[in-house]
Amino acid sequence: MDHPKTRKEAQELGAKFYFTGEPCVRGHIALRKTKGSCLECVKEDWAVDNERRKEKPKTEAAKAAGRRYYEKNRQAVIARAAARPAEEKRRNRSDYKDRNVDVVRADTSVRKRRHREATPKWLTPAERLLMRDLYVQARKMTELTRERYVVDHIVPLRGEAVCGLHVPWNLRVITQEENLKKSNKLVAPSTTT
Ligand SMILES: [Zn+2]
């Protein structure tokens, strides 16, 4: 491509860019904007700005706006999240875990307690082992298929009408997506009334 060699030349020709072939102050050999600086420098500055914006904590107003958007568009948000490539989902999940170590730890301990409380004392060791196997199975399915599998309580442990038990015959391995659809349905009536 033929670019003017100096800014002056570019200005005279009305060109947006020029190319000197010389390194800029940061050492890039790149196009320069007639009304600005080296394009590579601009890119670098953008990247830095982007990172800074990500690190900045969200204001309460921004968080509230996000929550309002989610409430209004719950189905669409969930559908969009489910449609993302597996690789991206995995990355988002592990980023979330890194950013929210305390929340994740608290969730895990609540879940463990609920499971413990919903497990009948009379369950045999073999039955307990069977349940552990289902969790192993879910993890293996996730690894094999690159789709996230979870262990679902067929009758929810904290259902509106009845509370299910943490027993092998109330458990099944399903995809996270199916599980979300299910919880969606269960939640829907109470949010619409
Ligand atoms: Zn540069």
Side-chain angles (χ1 to χ4, degrees):
M1 271 212 280
D2 273 341
H3 288 287
K5 289 193 173 46
T6 64
R7 169 167 287 157
K8 201 164 171 258
E9 223 178 290
Q11 280 167 344
E12 280 161 10
L13 290 165
K16 279 190 168 176
F17 307 104
Y18 64 100
F19 184 70
T20 64
E22 297 288 320
C24 75
V25 282
R26 294 189 199 163
H28 307 121
I29 300 177
L31 284 180
R32 296 187 195 180
K33 281 180 156 180
T34 311
K35 288 182 185 169
S37 65
C38 151
L39 277 190
E40 284 303 312
C41 284
V42 170
K43 258 192 226 166
E44 271 183 13
D45 292 345
W46 270 350
V48 170
D49 279 353
N50 261 332
E51 283 309 308
R52 280 209 194 115
R53 199 164 40 232
K54 271 190 228 159
E55 278 163 21
K56 231 196 286 174
K58 281 190 181 164
T59 62
E60 284 309 312
K63 281 187 202 164
R67 274 195 295 272
R68 272 199 307 276
Y69 178 84
Y70 178 75
E71 288 308 325
K72 240 187 191 169
N73 306 285
R74 196 164 186 269
Q75 304 283 350
V77 171
I78 290 171
R80 227 180 299 140
R84 286 195 189 108
E87 185 57 46
E88 198 182 321
K89 282 195 251 186
R90 202 157 37 244
R91 201 174 46 237
N92 288 345
R93 192 162 53 243
S94 81
D95 285 355
Y96 174 85
K97 282 183 178 174
D98 287 348
R99 274 185 281 114
N100 302 280
V101 175
D102 293 339
V103 177
V104 171
R105 201 171 289 156
D107 284 352
T108 306
S109 99
V110 166
R111 196 163 49 234
K112 277 186 175 166
R113 183 164 49 76
R114 279 186 193 154
H115 286 184
R116 199 167 50 238
E117 286 170 2
T119 310
K121 298 267 180 295
W122 41 258
L123 216 58
T124 67
E127 284 162 345
R128 284 165 200 269
L129 206 61
L130 210 58
M131 291 204 288
R132 195 170 301 170
D133 278 351
L134 286 173
Y135 286 89
V136 173
Q137 202 184 313
R139 190 164 45 82
K140 281 187 180 160
M141 287 291 282
T142 302
E143 281 166 15
L144 277 173
T145 63
R146 299 310 210 166
E147 172 82 36
R148 188 157 161 80
Y149 279 79
V150 294
V151 178
D152 170 53
H153 292 94
I154 300 164
V155 178
L157 297 190
R158 287 152 49 94
E160 295 238 329
V162 276
C163 290
L165 291 176
H166 190 57
V167 290
W169 51 94
N170 190 32
L171 296 181
R172 59 177 175 172
V173 175
I174 59 172
T175 63
Q176 172 89 305
E177 208 179 334
E178 286 173 274
N179 196 34
L180 280 174
K181 277 186 208 148
K182 179 187 164 188
S183 60
N184 227 3
K185 259 182 235 139
L186 289 170
V187 165
S190 58
T191 54
T192 50
T193 49

